[in-house]
């Protein structure tokens, strides 16, 4: 199940690029730019999940998020107004799926 | 939706262009730092660099450890706290930094 | 501003804590300590004979500093300057 936001972010740009194959190639950073300001789920290699609104990120994959909720083993463990997550902590994935209900 | 330089305006009304700006705004504020190995720090941020090396003052460190009770096999979670006046923290152990909650 | 010559306690990632006088620091934050003493000698008897040592920066977890040895105002100003859009120095330089 994916939210309407997911569809916008992932499908809309590829529609535009259908005629020109080069434009169809969207880099990972294009994806990340598309999800700025959207609800995301950031999973660290430790297994901890951070769910919140993606404020910005940089080349080291440092991440700033707002209204962040921390989940360990699926349990809500804390909340942060703003939070900075250091890059190089082996983030496994960054997705915005299943958030139409949760956020 | 965003300005052309892709910065966004935080709920607190300050323009943030890169994640480290969030930390810059926290200088001389008490911050929460989550570190590897279940260590948490709370202290006043005096300095940091791009590696997230930091100097914190009036630090309270909490170490959470879990042991298994040998008889019952239950997991016992214990927290130890200690206070340090001034602490340099090497950036590579830092996982997360959160500024104090701002009232907007 | 420098911490060279001051007493510090270096906590390593393997939980060893060494106190001593800071002799020098380099760009990697490698540390040279003199008049070294290991905290918790019973647990690390092999380190009791240590007098001077070099610590690779990457194995350091914390450095405990005497608050009186640090001018926090200078440190904060140096940090703001360094992290402003104009290129600045580093925290380690600010410490020197």
């Amino acid at each position: 199940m994916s939210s309407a936001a997911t569809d916008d972010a992932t499908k809309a740009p590829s529609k535009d690029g259908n005629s020109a194959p080069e434009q169809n190639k969207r880099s990972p950073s294009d994806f990340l730019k598309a999800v700025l300001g959207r609800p995301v789920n950031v999973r660290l290699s430790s297994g901890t999940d951070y769910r919140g609104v993606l404020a910005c990120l940089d080349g080291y994959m440092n991440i700033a998020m707002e209204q962040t909720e921390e989940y360990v083993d699926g349990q809500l463990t804390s909340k942060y107004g703003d939070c900075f997550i250091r890059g190089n902590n082996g983030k496994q994935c960054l997705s915005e799926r299943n958030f139409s209900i949760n956020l | 939706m965003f300005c052309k330089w892709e910065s966004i305006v935080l709920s607190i009304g300050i323009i943030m262009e890169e994640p480290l700006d969030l930390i810059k705004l926290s200088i001389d504020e008490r911050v929460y730092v989550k570190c590897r190995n279940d260590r948490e720090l709370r202290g006043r941020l005096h300095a940091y660099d791009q590696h997230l090396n930091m100097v914190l003052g009036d630090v309270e460190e909490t170490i959470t450890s879990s042991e298994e009770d040998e008889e019952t096999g239950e997991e016992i979670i214990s927290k130890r706290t200690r206070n340090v006046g001034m602490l340099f923290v090497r950036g590579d152990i830092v996982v997360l930094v959160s500024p104090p909650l701002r009232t907007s | 501003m420098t911490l060279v010559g001051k007493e510090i306690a270096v906590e390593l990632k393997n939980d060893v804590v060494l106190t001593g006088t800071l002799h020098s620091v380099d760009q990697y934050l490698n540390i040279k300590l003199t008049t070294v003493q290991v905290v918790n000698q019973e647990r690390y008897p092999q380190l009791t004979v240590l007098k001077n040592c070099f610590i690779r920066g990457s194995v350091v977890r914390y450095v405990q500093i005497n608050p009186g040895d640090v001018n926090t105002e200078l440190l904060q100003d140096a940090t703001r300057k360094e992290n402003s859009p104009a290129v600045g120095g580093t925290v380690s330089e600010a410490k020197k």
Side-chain angles (χ1 to χ4, degrees):
Chain A
M1 180 171 57
S2 61
S3 67
T6 311
D7 296 341
D8 289 350
T10 54
K11 286 176 187 166
S14 60
K15 267 181 208 161
D16 300 340
N18 273 348
S19 51
E22 313 91 67
Q23 285 171 16
N24 216 358
K25 289 180 190 163
R26 293 177 65 248
S27 69
S29 72
D30 288 337
F31 169 77
L32 292 173
K33 281 176 193 169
V35 295
L36 277 177
R38 294 181 193 278
V40 293
N41 183 8
V42 177
R43 177 168 297 158
L44 307 190
S45 55
S46 62
T48 308
D49 278 2
Y50 293 94
R51 296 180 188 171
V53 177
L54 183 66
C56 60
L57 42 84
D58 66 15
Y60 299 104
M61 282 278 268
N62 291 322
I63 292 176
M65 289 168 81
E66 293 178 66
Q67 303 154 42
T68 309
E69 295 179 331
E70 178 186 80
Y71 290 85
V72 179
D73 301 328
Q75 298 289 310
L76 179 63
T77 44
S78 18
K79 291 185 181 186
Y80 310 102
D82 295 316
C83 91
F84 172 100
I85 301 174
R86 192 182 190 266
N88 308 351
N89 271 307
K91 283 181 268 304
Q92 275 183 343
C93 70
L94 185 114
S95 73
E96 45 162 354
R97 287 173 185 274
N98 300 336
F99 274 84
S100 52
I101 296 168
N102 292 327
L103 285 173
Chain B
M1 184 171 179
F2 303 119
C3 314
K4 64 175 180 240
W5 57 86
E6 286 166 356
S7 63
I8 79 161
V9 180
L10 285 176
S11 48
I12 49 172
I14 296 168
I15 290 179
M16 186 163 70
E17 291 182 48
E18 58 170 25
L20 281 162
D21 289 347
L22 193 63
I23 297 183
K24 185 158 79 182
L25 294 170
S26 308
I27 294 173
D28 205 24
E29 306 265 6
R30 283 193 79 79
V31 294
Y32 166 84
V33 183
K34 195 180 179 70
C35 299
R36 290 177 179 230
N37 302 112
D38 294 313
R39 287 164 189 267
E40 298 167 286
L41 303 168
R42 287 173 182 82
R44 185 171 297 277
L45 181 66
H46 292 303
Y48 73 93
D49 65 13
Q50 70 272 33
H51 303 107
L52 272 300
N53 294 322
M54 289 187 278
V55 177
L56 300 175
D58 293 322
V59 188
E60 183 190 276
E61 183 192 26
T62 306
I63 306 170
T64 308
S65 49
S66 70
E67 293 162 55
E68 206 167 275
D69 190 302
E70 285 181 16
E71 290 169 21
T72 62
E74 272 179 73
E75 195 184 29
I76 303 168
I77 293 170
S78 62
K79 283 188 189 249
R80 280 175 295 148
T81 304
R82 65 167 175 171
N83 291 286
V84 185
M86 187 73 63
L87 196 64
F88 166 90
V89 182
R90 195 173 159 92
D92 57 1
I93 68 162
V94 172
V95 174
L96 176 150
V97 183
S98 181
L101 281 177
R102 281 171 234 264
T103 44
S104 48
Chain C
M1 192 156 110
T2 179
L3 286 174
V4 169
K6 305 286 200 241
E7 278 292 309
I8 59 168
V10 183
E11 179 172 330
L12 311 185
K13 286 179 179 144
N14 62 2
D15 294 335
V16 170
V17 183
L18 299 168
T19 61
T21 309
L22 181 61
H23 174 277
S24 55
V25 184
D26 68 11
Q27 54 167 329
Y28 303 108
L29 301 184
N30 296 324
I31 292 171
K32 268 186 176 174
L33 282 185
T34 56
T35 61
V36 178
Q37 282 198 305
V38 61
V39 176
N40 200 343
Q41 297 207 354
E42 314 80 68
R43 192 172 158 196
Y44 307 104
Q46 73 277 27
L47 296 179
T48 51
V49 292
L50 203 59
K51 288 288 164 284
N52 306 303
C53 71
F54 172 94
I55 303 167
R56 186 176 153 94
S58 62
V59 305
V60 172
R61 178 187 289 141
Y62 302 134
V63 180
Q64 297 175 38
I65 308 163
N66 183 345
D69 293 336
V70 179
N71 182 332
T72 54
E73 223 169 283
L74 274 182
L75 204 51
Q76 291 177 14
D77 288 346
T79 301
R80 289 196 185 92
K81 214 170 172 185
E82 177 195 334
N83 294 289
S84 63
V87 184
T90 63
V91 167
S92 50
E93 278 169 24
K95 277 187 187 164
K96 284 173 194 165

mmCIF file of all heavy atoms in Angstrom, chain A residues 24-58:
data_model
loop_
_atom_site.group_PDB
_atom_site.id
_atom_site.type_symbol
_atom_site.label_atom_id
_atom_site.label_comp_id
_atom_site.label_asym_id
_atom_site.label_seq_id
_atom_site.Cartn_x
_atom_site.Cartn_y
_atom_site.Cartn_z
ATOM 1 N N ASN A 24 14.711 9.816 -18.673
ATOM 2 C CA ASN A 24 13.995 8.808 -17.903
ATOM 3 C C ASN A 24 14.849 8.298 -16.744
ATOM 4 O O ASN A 24 14.332 7.797 -15.757
ATOM 5 C CB ASN A 24 13.617 7.642 -18.812
ATOM 6 C CG ASN A 24 12.270 7.072 -18.425
ATOM 7 O OD1 ASN A 24 11.659 7.530 -17.464
ATOM 8 N ND2 ASN A 24 11.818 6.097 -19.171
ATOM 9 N N LYS A 25 16.168 8.443 -16.880
ATOM 10 C CA LYS A 25 17.052 7.988 -15.810
ATOM 11 C C LYS A 25 16.989 8.995 -14.672
ATOM 12 O O LYS A 25 17.407 10.135 -14.827
ATOM 13 C CB LYS A 25 18.494 7.890 -16.326
ATOM 14 C CG LYS A 25 18.700 6.750 -17.293
ATOM 15 C CD LYS A 25 20.140 6.724 -17.747
ATOM 16 C CE LYS A 25 20.342 5.752 -18.889
ATOM 17 N NZ LYS A 25 21.596 5.983 -19.595
ATOM 18 N N ARG A 26 16.469 8.536 -13.578
ATOM 19 C CA ARG A 26 16.391 9.438 -12.429
ATOM 20 C C ARG A 26 17.381 8.951 -11.392
ATOM 21 O O ARG A 26 17.381 7.792 -11.014
ATOM 22 C CB ARG A 26 14.964 9.473 -11.889
ATOM 23 C CG ARG A 26 14.005 10.107 -12.880
ATOM 24 C CD ARG A 26 12.583 10.070 -12.392
ATOM 25 N NE ARG A 26 12.404 10.872 -11.212
ATOM 26 C CZ ARG A 26 12.140 10.376 -10.008
ATOM 27 N NH1 ARG A 26 12.061 9.074 -9.849
ATOM 28 N NH2 ARG A 26 11.965 11.165 -8.981
ATOM 29 N N SER A 27 18.237 9.847 -10.978
ATOM 30 C CA SER A 27 19.283 9.468 -10.034
ATOM 31 C C SER A 27 18.682 9.372 -8.635
ATOM 32 O O SER A 27 17.609 9.912 -8.371
ATOM 33 C CB SER A 27 20.395 10.499 -10.043
ATOM 34 O OG SER A 27 19.920 11.697 -9.488
ATOM 35 N N PRO A 28 19.387 8.669 -7.743
ATOM 36 C CA PRO A 28 18.905 8.594 -6.365
ATOM 37 C C PRO A 28 18.683 9.974 -5.763
ATOM 38 O O PRO A 28 17.741 10.180 -5.006
ATOM 39 C CB PRO A 28 20.042 7.854 -5.648
ATOM 40 C CG PRO A 28 20.671 7.027 -6.704
ATOM 41 C CD PRO A 28 20.572 7.842 -7.956
ATOM 42 N N SER A 29 19.538 10.921 -6.118
ATOM 43 C CA SER A 29 19.362 12.247 -5.513
ATOM 44 C C SER A 29 18.111 12.934 -6.048
ATOM 45 O O SER A 29 17.488 13.727 -5.350
ATOM 46 C CB SER A 29 20.599 13.108 -5.729
ATOM 47 O OG SER A 29 20.684 13.494 -7.073
ATOM 48 N N ASP A 30 17.734 12.613 -7.305
ATOM 49 C CA ASP A 30 16.471 13.146 -7.813
ATOM 50 C C ASP A 30 15.301 12.645 -6.978
ATOM 51 O O ASP A 30 14.369 13.381 -6.670
ATOM 52 C CB ASP A 30 16.249 12.714 -9.277
ATOM 53 C CG ASP A 30 17.177 13.452 -10.220
ATOM 54 O OD1 ASP A 30 17.639 14.542 -9.833
ATOM 55 O OD2 ASP A 30 17.428 12.925 -11.315
ATOM 56 N N PHE A 31 15.387 11.364 -6.630
ATOM 57 C CA PHE A 31 14.318 10.794 -5.801
ATOM 58 C C PHE A 31 14.259 11.516 -4.464
ATOM 59 O O PHE A 31 13.198 11.893 -3.991
ATOM 60 C CB PHE A 31 14.552 9.298 -5.580
ATOM 61 C CG PHE A 31 13.660 8.708 -4.535
ATOM 62 C CD1 PHE A 31 12.328 8.431 -4.816
ATOM 63 C CD2 PHE A 31 14.140 8.464 -3.254
ATOM 64 C CE1 PHE A 31 11.499 7.906 -3.846
ATOM 65 C CE2 PHE A 31 13.317 7.947 -2.277
ATOM 66 C CZ PHE A 31 11.987 7.671 -2.578
ATOM 67 N N LEU A 32 15.445 11.703 -3.876
ATOM 68 C CA LEU A 32 15.481 12.331 -2.556
ATOM 69 C C LEU A 32 14.961 13.766 -2.622
ATOM 70 O O LEU A 32 14.275 14.229 -1.711
ATOM 71 C CB LEU A 32 16.902 12.282 -1.991
ATOM 72 C CG LEU A 32 17.368 10.858 -1.654
ATOM 73 C CD1 LEU A 32 18.825 10.851 -1.257
ATOM 74 C CD2 LEU A 32 16.522 10.267 -0.540
ATOM 75 N N LYS A 33 15.303 14.471 -3.707
ATOM 76 C CA LYS A 33 14.780 15.833 -3.850
ATOM 77 C C LYS A 33 13.257 15.814 -3.918
ATOM 78 O O LYS A 33 12.581 16.684 -3.397
ATOM 79 C CB LYS A 33 15.343 16.489 -5.118
ATOM 80 C CG LYS A 33 16.772 17.011 -4.943
ATOM 81 C CD LYS A 33 17.298 17.550 -6.266
ATOM 82 C CE LYS A 33 18.799 17.766 -6.201
ATOM 83 N NZ LYS A 33 19.369 18.039 -7.533
ATOM 84 N N ALA A 34 12.744 14.775 -4.595
ATOM 85 C CA ALA A 34 11.290 14.693 -4.764
ATOM 86 C C ALA A 34 10.573 14.430 -3.452
ATOM 87 O O ALA A 34 9.406 14.768 -3.308
ATOM 88 C CB ALA A 34 10.957 13.597 -5.781
ATOM 89 N N VAL A 35 11.254 13.809 -2.492
ATOM 90 C CA VAL A 35 10.567 13.499 -1.235
ATOM 91 C C VAL A 35 10.833 14.549 -0.143
ATOM 92 O O VAL A 35 10.343 14.397 0.966
ATOM 93 C CB VAL A 35 10.926 12.092 -0.698
ATOM 94 C CG1 VAL A 35 10.426 11.030 -1.645
ATOM 95 C CG2 VAL A 35 12.399 11.936 -0.434
ATOM 96 N N LEU A 36 11.575 15.600 -0.474
ATOM 97 C CA LEU A 36 11.769 16.675 0.507
ATOM 98 C C LEU A 36 10.411 17.231 0.936
ATOM 99 O O LEU A 36 9.543 17.456 0.104
ATOM 100 C CB LEU A 36 12.593 17.814 -0.099
ATOM 101 C CG LEU A 36 14.114 17.671 -0.110
ATOM 102 C CD1 LEU A 36 14.727 18.869 -0.816
ATOM 103 C CD2 LEU A 36 14.666 17.528 1.291
ATOM 104 N N GLY A 37 10.253 17.417 2.196
ATOM 105 C CA GLY A 37 9.004 17.973 2.706
ATOM 106 C C GLY A 37 7.906 16.946 2.864
ATOM 107 O O GLY A 37 6.800 17.285 3.269
ATOM 108 N N ARG A 38 8.211 15.695 2.551
ATOM 109 C CA ARG A 38 7.202 14.645 2.670
ATOM 110 C C ARG A 38 7.492 13.756 3.874
ATOM 111 O O ARG A 38 8.616 13.697 4.347
ATOM 112 C CB ARG A 38 7.200 13.773 1.413
ATOM 113 C CG ARG A 38 6.768 14.502 0.173
ATOM 114 C CD ARG A 38 6.785 13.530 -0.995
ATOM 115 N NE ARG A 38 6.674 14.217 -2.256
ATOM 116 C CZ ARG A 38 5.535 14.617 -2.779
ATOM 117 N NH1 ARG A 38 4.410 14.387 -2.147
ATOM 118 N NH2 ARG A 38 5.507 15.238 -3.933
ATOM 119 N N PRO A 39 6.498 13.023 4.312
ATOM 120 C CA PRO A 39 6.726 12.063 5.401
ATOM 121 C C PRO A 39 7.620 10.921 4.907
ATOM 122 O O PRO A 39 7.383 10.393 3.823
ATOM 123 C CB PRO A 39 5.333 11.524 5.732
ATOM 124 C CG PRO A 39 4.374 12.408 5.027
ATOM 125 C CD PRO A 39 5.093 13.022 3.867
ATOM 126 N N VAL A 40 8.625 10.611 5.689
ATOM 127 C CA VAL A 40 9.530 9.531 5.300
ATOM 128 C C VAL A 40 9.763 8.598 6.491
ATOM 129 O O VAL A 40 9.482 8.940 7.630
ATOM 130 C CB VAL A 40 10.908 10.064 4.825
ATOM 131 C CG1 VAL A 40 10.797 10.830 3.547
ATOM 132 C CG2 VAL A 40 11.558 10.903 5.916
ATOM 133 N N ASN A 41 10.265 7.433 6.154
ATOM 134 C CA ASN A 41 10.679 6.479 7.167
ATOM 135 C C ASN A 41 12.154 6.204 6.919
ATOM 136 O O ASN A 41 12.518 5.755 5.846
ATOM 137 C CB ASN A 41 9.843 5.196 7.019
ATOM 138 C CG ASN A 41 10.179 4.184 8.086
ATOM 139 O OD1 ASN A 41 10.920 4.477 9.020
ATOM 140 N ND2 ASN A 41 9.633 2.992 7.957
ATOM 141 N N VAL A 42 12.995 6.513 7.886
ATOM 142 C CA VAL A 42 14.432 6.298 7.744
ATOM 143 C C VAL A 42 14.822 5.147 8.653
ATOM 144 O O VAL A 42 14.593 5.204 9.859
ATOM 145 C CB VAL A 42 15.216 7.567 8.139
ATOM 146 C CG1 VAL A 42 16.718 7.308 8.071
ATOM 147 C CG2 VAL A 42 14.841 8.729 7.240
ATOM 148 N N ARG A 43 15.359 4.113 8.074
ATOM 149 C CA ARG A 43 15.772 2.960 8.889
ATOM 150 C C ARG A 43 17.289 2.887 8.966
ATOM 151 O O ARG A 43 17.964 2.829 7.932
ATOM 152 C CB ARG A 43 15.217 1.661 8.313
ATOM 153 C CG ARG A 43 15.694 0.433 9.102
ATOM 154 C CD ARG A 43 14.929 -0.798 8.705
ATOM 155 N NE ARG A 43 13.507 -0.660 9.024
ATOM 156 C CZ ARG A 43 12.554 -1.364 8.424
ATOM 157 N NH1 ARG A 43 12.873 -2.229 7.486
ATOM 158 N NH2 ARG A 43 11.301 -1.183 8.760
ATOM 159 N N LEU A 44 17.828 2.888 10.167
ATOM 160 C CA LEU A 44 19.272 2.749 10.352
ATOM 161 C C LEU A 44 19.634 1.278 10.353
ATOM 162 O O LEU A 44 18.774 0.411 10.510
ATOM 163 C CB LEU A 44 19.701 3.387 11.670
ATOM 164 C CG LEU A 44 19.274 4.835 11.894
ATOM 165 C CD1 LEU A 44 19.972 5.407 13.126
ATOM 166 C CD2 LEU A 44 19.582 5.699 10.681
ATOM 167 N N SER A 45 20.929 1.002 10.199
ATOM 168 C CA SER A 45 21.353 -0.399 10.164
ATOM 169 C C SER A 45 21.090 -1.070 11.512
ATOM 170 O O SER A 45 20.997 -2.294 11.593
ATOM 171 C CB SER A 45 22.829 -0.504 9.801
ATOM 172 O OG SER A 45 23.594 0.275 10.674
ATOM 173 N N SER A 46 20.969 -0.263 12.573
ATOM 174 C CA SER A 46 20.659 -0.831 13.885
ATOM 175 C C SER A 46 19.229 -1.373 13.928
ATOM 176 O O SER A 46 18.868 -2.085 14.862
ATOM 177 C CB SER A 46 20.829 0.237 14.955
ATOM 178 O OG SER A 46 19.927 1.308 14.721
ATOM 179 N N GLY A 47 18.419 -1.015 12.936
ATOM 180 C CA GLY A 47 17.032 -1.456 12.920
ATOM 181 C C GLY A 47 16.072 -0.399 13.416
ATOM 182 O O GLY A 47 14.854 -0.539 13.284
ATOM 183 N N THR A 48 16.613 0.643 13.983
ATOM 184 C CA THR A 48 15.763 1.734 14.482
ATOM 185 C C THR A 48 15.168 2.501 13.305
ATOM 186 O O THR A 48 15.857 2.786 12.331
ATOM 187 C CB THR A 48 16.587 2.690 15.359
ATOM 188 O OG1 THR A 48 17.269 1.931 16.346
ATOM 189 C CG2 THR A 48 15.697 3.715 16.039
ATOM 190 N N ASP A 49 13.882 2.812 13.436
ATOM 191 C CA ASP A 49 13.202 3.578 12.398
ATOM 192 C C ASP A 49 12.935 4.988 12.888
ATOM 193 O O ASP A 49 12.610 5.179 14.061
ATOM 194 C CB ASP A 49 11.838 2.933 12.068
ATOM 195 C CG ASP A 49 11.977 1.775 11.106
ATOM 196 O OD1 ASP A 49 13.113 1.454 10.733
ATOM 197 O OD2 ASP A 49 10.934 1.205 10.735
ATOM 198 N N TYR A 50 13.073 5.938 11.991
ATOM 199 C CA TYR A 50 12.695 7.317 12.292
ATOM 200 C C TYR A 50 11.658 7.756 11.270
ATOM 201 O O TYR A 50 11.913 7.714 10.070
ATOM 202 C CB TYR A 50 13.923 8.234 12.271
ATOM 203 C CG TYR A 50 14.870 7.901 13.391
ATOM 204 C CD1 TYR A 50 15.933 7.022 13.192
ATOM 205 C CD2 TYR A 50 14.654 8.401 14.666
ATOM 206 C CE1 TYR A 50 16.773 6.681 14.241
ATOM 207 C CE2 TYR A 50 15.483 8.063 15.717
ATOM 208 C CZ TYR A 50 16.541 7.203 15.503
ATOM 209 O OH TYR A 50 17.348 6.850 16.542
ATOM 210 N N ARG A 51 10.507 8.137 11.777
ATOM 211 C CA ARG A 51 9.428 8.579 10.889
ATOM 212 C C ARG A 51 9.162 10.046 11.135
ATOM 213 O O ARG A 51 8.958 10.463 12.274
ATOM 214 C CB ARG A 51 8.148 7.788 11.155
ATOM 215 C CG ARG A 51 8.299 6.324 10.849
ATOM 216 C CD ARG A 51 7.013 5.581 11.122
ATOM 217 N NE ARG A 51 7.216 4.153 11.011
ATOM 218 C CZ ARG A 51 6.307 3.254 11.355
ATOM 219 N NH1 ARG A 51 5.141 3.643 11.823
ATOM 220 N NH2 ARG A 51 6.577 1.971 11.217
ATOM 221 N N GLY A 52 9.188 10.811 10.080
ATOM 222 C CA GLY A 52 8.932 12.237 10.221
ATOM 223 C C GLY A 52 8.940 12.904 8.861
ATOM 224 O O GLY A 52 8.956 12.231 7.828
ATOM 225 N N VAL A 53 8.919 14.220 8.878
ATOM 226 C CA VAL A 53 8.913 14.974 7.637
ATOM 227 C C VAL A 53 10.351 15.294 7.268
ATOM 228 O O VAL A 53 11.091 15.874 8.068
ATOM 229 C CB VAL A 53 8.097 16.273 7.802
ATOM 230 C CG1 VAL A 53 8.164 17.098 6.531
ATOM 231 C CG2 VAL A 53 6.660 15.950 8.160
ATOM 232 N N LEU A 54 10.750 14.914 6.069
ATOM 233 C CA LEU A 54 12.124 15.139 5.623
ATOM 234 C C LEU A 54 12.340 16.620 5.352
ATOM 235 O O LEU A 54 11.724 17.188 4.462
ATOM 236 C CB LEU A 54 12.402 14.322 4.362
ATOM 237 C CG LEU A 54 13.818 14.390 3.810
ATOM 238 C CD1 LEU A 54 14.803 13.760 4.772
ATOM 239 C CD2 LEU A 54 13.895 13.703 2.463
ATOM 240 N N ALA A 55 13.194 17.256 6.149
ATOM 241 C CA ALA A 55 13.437 18.694 5.975
ATOM 242 C C ALA A 55 14.532 18.920 4.935
ATOM 243 O O ALA A 55 14.355 19.683 3.998
ATOM 244 C CB ALA A 55 13.817 19.332 7.303
ATOM 245 N N CYS A 56 15.677 18.276 5.113
ATOM 246 C CA CYS A 56 16.712 18.380 4.095
ATOM 247 C C CYS A 56 17.782 17.328 4.320
ATOM 248 O O CYS A 56 17.811 16.665 5.358
ATOM 249 C CB CYS A 56 17.341 19.784 4.069
ATOM 250 S SG CYS A 56 18.111 20.278 5.592
ATOM 251 N N LEU A 57 18.634 17.171 3.330
ATOM 252 C CA LEU A 57 19.741 16.228 3.461
ATOM 253 C C LEU A 57 20.928 16.737 2.651
ATOM 254 O O LEU A 57 20.791 17.630 1.826
ATOM 255 C CB LEU A 57 19.329 14.824 3.030
ATOM 256 C CG LEU A 57 18.476 14.648 1.780
ATOM 257 C CD1 LEU A 57 19.339 14.624 0.549
ATOM 258 C CD2 LEU A 57 17.683 13.377 1.871
ATOM 259 N N ASP A 58 22.087 16.161 2.913
ATOM 260 C CA ASP A 58 23.281 16.604 2.193
ATOM 261 C C ASP A 58 24.010 15.402 1.584
ATOM 262 O O ASP A 58 23.523 14.272 1.628
ATOM 263 C CB ASP A 58 24.189 17.417 3.121
ATOM 264 C CG ASP A 58 24.766 16.580 4.256
ATOM 265 O OD1 ASP A 58 24.718 15.341 4.188
ATOM 266 O OD2 ASP A 58 25.267 17.182 5.233
#
